[in-house]
Amino acid sequence: MTARLARLPWEGLALVPLAFALGSPLLALAGLVIWFLVPPAVRRHRQRTEQAALEADLVAVIDELSQHVRSGSTVGASFLSAVARRPRARAELEPATAGVAAGRRLSVALDELSQAEARCSETVRLLAASLAIVSKSGGPVAPALERLADTL
C-alpha cells in the first residue's frame, strides 16, 4: 500500500482541503475518489497502449525479416537491420541483438532471451520457436516467417 501511495500525485490532494474550505464536503469526497482512482487507470491505459505498439513493431520486424531473407540476405544481418529501425522492438530484443552482433545464431539468441526474460512477449517466444523449428528441420526460413507474421 505504501508503494501505491508513493506513486500518487500528491499535489492534486491540495484541492481536497480547498473544497472543504469552500463548504462542499461532497465535492471534497469526489475529488479524493478521483485523485485516488484516476492515476492507476491512466497508467494501465498507457501500459496497454505501449504493449500494443510493441507488438505492432515486433510484427513489422518479423515481416521485414522475412522479406530480407527472401531476397537473399542472411537471417542474422536481416534481423539486425529490421530491429535497428524500431526503437521499441530494439529495446525488447536488445539481448538477442547483442548476441547476433557477437556472431551467435539468431535462433539460439532468441531462445535464450525467451527463456531468460520473464517479461518477454508472446510474439518473441513465437519467433524464437519458429526459428528453432526451421533451423532444426532445415526448412526455408522466409515462408515460416511470413506465416508467423500473417498469424500475428
Side-chain angles (χ1 to χ4, degrees):
M1 184 67 176
T2 58
R4 182 175 176 168
L5 290 175
R7 291 190 309 256
L8 291 174
W10 289 102
E11 60 275 359
L13 191 57
L15 296 176
V16 174
L18 178 64
F20 270 119
L22 293 175
S24 179
L26 192 56
L27 182 62
L29 181 61
L32 188 62
V33 167
I34 290 171
W35 169 79
F36 196 70
L37 294 179
V38 168
V42 169
R43 239 186 333 275
R44 282 190 305 271
H45 175 72
R46 199 173 294 142
Q47 288 171 345
R48 282 192 304 268
T49 303
E50 276 294 314
Q51 186 64 30
L54 172 64
E55 293 296 324
D57 272 1
L58 290 172
V59 170
V61 165
I62 294 169
D63 191 42
E64 188 173 334
L65 178 61
S66 70
Q67 291 172 2
H68 283 280
V69 169
R70 187 171 288 284
S71 69
S73 296
T74 64
V75 177
S78 301
F79 176 75
L80 293 176
S81 172
V83 170
R85 287 188 284 280
R86 292 174 181 82
R88 286 184 189 96
R90 186 173 48 235
E92 175 83 5
L93 299 168
E94 181 63 35
T97 305
V100 170
R104 303 189 71 195
R105 292 181 54 191
L106 178 59
S107 59
V108 173
L110 283 172
D111 188 44
E112 289 174 355
L113 172 67
S114 67
Q115 290 177 6
E117 296 283 329
R119 62 172 185 80
C120 188
S121 72
E122 190 64 26
T123 304
V124 173
R125 287 190 174 93
L126 288 171
L127 176 59
S130 296
L131 287 173
I133 290 169
V134 167
S135 73
K136 286 179 184 173
S137 69
V141 176
L145 293 174
E146 288 170 357
R147 284 191 299 274
L148 178 61
D150 290 343
T151 301
L152 298 173

